[in-house]
Amino acid sequence: MQPEAGQGAAQHSFQTEVARLLHLMIHSVYTDKEIFLRELISNASDACDKLRYEAIATPSLLGQDARLVVTISVDKDARTLTIADNGIGMSETELIENLGTIARSGTRAFLDKLAGEGGGGSATSLIGQFGVGFYSAFMVADRIEVVSRKAGSADAHIWTSDGASGFTIAPAPAERAAQVPRGTCVTLHLKADADDFLAPHDIERIVRTYSDHILFPVELAEEGKSRQINSASALWQRSRSEVKPEEYKEVYNAVAGQFDEPAVTLHYRAEGRQSYAVLLYVPTEKPFDLFDVSRKGRVKLYVRRVYITDDADLLPSYLRFVRGVVDSEDLPLNVSREMLQTNPVVTQMRKAVTGRVVGELESIAEKEPERFAKIWETFGSVVKEGIYEDFERRDQLLKLARFRSSKGDDARSLAAYVADMRPGQDEIYYVVGESLERAKASPQLEAAAARGVEVLLLTDPVDSFWTSMPVSFEGKKLRSLSQGDVDLSAVTPAEDEPKEEEAAPDIAGLIAQLKPVLADAVSDVRTSSRLVQSPACLVAQGAGPDLALDRMLQRSQRGGGSVKPVLELNPRHALVKAAVAHAAAGHAAEVGDIGQVLLDQARVLDGEVPADPAGFVERINRLITQGLAKA
């Protein structure tokens, strides 16, 4: 039953996602419940950060209470734990929005993953990562009261919930309102099994473990006295030699919202024309919002230890998996969003930090290839966006890039590819496919495989875009095996490879009959120089988009489908030879059937379905029946 919240209380229901989230937390067994305190302290710190920033333009918001602090207090008799801050506070509307809804992308993915973890200990690490930390308090509390007063407001409100039947909001009683002249006070009525959170020494241990880096004092109130229990220092402003590995990990957990081990930690200070401190991390695991359509970065901008924003785009979108902090000494504290886009200091800082991150990845790739291979496996599909977008660093990113190829299972660099090119080969060949298996099965690889030519197998969606531009590496152009004319005759076959058999038969007569039959579906029918085993394949015209890109644009309803492909035929294949014989004998109906079947087979090999599945089956059955009748 929802507890009483006082006169004038208004009853509200939780958003569907919140209700589901609370159910999972309340009815699951977690092994690491203490992370709720980390989350509430983090929220309190954010509130202090926001007030400090707002007070730059409106100093009166601080009033006589300029020292921003987070205070924790315990009442063993009442079995309550209280986390209070004197930060920005919340209005009635903001209490509803912030504590009744989850207005953040990825919520459903979080809930699905949380449920999939079955309530295990690893699931708790997701809570901070998905920005739903407040609700983790219901793991230890059967009732929560939040009293909040917006900075500069005369009104305070109380939010109350048992986590099950929605929540109530009412004007705070005078006594409670007087305790919160500004900011937010969260009081947890602890469950019977949460005695640990009534012990001051356990509270201090948790704070030092998870929240020691918080930039505001975290104080523990005992017997009328308060003492600070965190260091409250900006770790990124300290020398690398002074920072312990576990301290880097703590800041990574808090700043990045990730709870794996960082794969890369980059900590340095830039001095000279500009002065700023940098602490950046590359996660080991993919952040949940890595493929969010906004493609926003999550590097936090500070100015002289004052948090400004995490929306400053301090790194390009293709490095959005990098998390951390950049703290400038040169920017004004009242820097606006518009200024961040045009300020020359920010522009130079962005360029320098990007160069440092790319340089760090280059260093790891050169000195620790196995470590880099893991990083690339996780984030390579995002980094490749830079090949398409960042012309200035395209050569660097191409050098960093790793690709699966027809040579084996290990990802290969372009430098390794070029070093192993066959005599007479002067281009880098690739095919784009929706999966590695499909790319390996592509008929366009056959002639290259027959001459021992390595082919890059590109399977990430972004591959269709960056390969659409003229790209070269060390003077070698990248050439699609499914686009335009491909001539491998200059490539020297290996000595142990079989020599070509008889000359290819002339199929000009067959082609002449097929062109009008297939005119609605293809732009041309021609003899193929890239097929060895398959009877037919589809390729893009030399001036048009690659077929993979065209299909992607078509499926996403962003164009595509307007350019007809080219049907190439293998003149040495038995089915094509049979079609040639039927054409010479004047069997137009059979030739038409074979031509349509060859086209549909080529579509199937490309991962598509026949344009007319019923017609495809009918033609196959007709041709088989005719063949059996003659047997």
Side-chain angles (χ1 to χ4, degrees), residues 209-223:
T209 299
Y210 294 112
S211 307
D212 195 55
H213 67 282
I214 295 294
L215 292 182
F216 302 96
V218 177
E219 296 183 347
L220 181 61
E222 295 181 276
E223 299 178 354

Side-chain angles (χ1 to χ4, degrees), residues 79 88 179 269 288 293 299 389 463 468 510 524 600 606:
R79 295 187 55 78
I88 192 69
Q179 297 170 354
R269 171 175 287 280
F288 82 98
V293 292
V299 174
E389 297 172 341
D463 291 326
S468 66
L510 172 64
D524 195 12
D600 285 334
D606 264 0

Side-chain angles (χ1 to χ4, degrees), residues 86-104:
N86 58 345
I88 192 69
M90 290 178 280
S91 65
E92 180 181 12
T93 300
E94 288 170 331
L95 280 168
I96 296 172
E97 291 177 348
N98 295 337
L99 304 186
T101 63
I102 305 176
R104 181 169 180 176

Side-chain angles (χ1 to χ4, degrees), residues 45-46 49 52 213 215-216 234 236-237 255 276-277 299-310 312 314 324-331 333 335 349:
S45 174
D46 288 346
D49 259 327
R52 184 164 61 172
H213 67 282
L215 292 182
F216 302 96
W236 51 87
Q237 292 290 349
V255 172
Y276 52 89
V299 174
K300 300 179 184 294
L301 173 64
Y302 282 72
V303 175
R304 297 188 289 282
R305 269 70 66 199
V306 177
Y307 171 73
I308 303 300
T309 182
D310 63 357
L314 293 173
V325 169
V326 175
D327 192 348
S328 172
E329 299 291 336
D330 304 309
L331 288 170
L333 283 170
V335 60
M349 188 165 61

Side-chain angles (χ1 to χ4, degrees), residues 53-106:
Y53 181 67
E54 293 292 333
I56 296 170
T58 313
S60 61
L61 290 176
L62 286 172
Q64 301 301 312
D65 188 16
R67 182 175 181 264
L68 298 171
V69 62
V70 179
T71 303
I72 302 174
S73 56
V74 172
D75 186 333
K76 292 184 179 180
D77 294 333
R79 295 187 55 78
T80 60
L81 174 67
T82 299
I83 299 89
D85 68 76
N86 58 345
I88 192 69
M90 290 178 280
S91 65
E92 180 181 12
T93 300
E94 288 170 331
L95 280 168
I96 296 172
E97 291 177 348
N98 295 337
L99 304 186
T101 63
I102 305 176
R104 181 169 180 176
S105 62

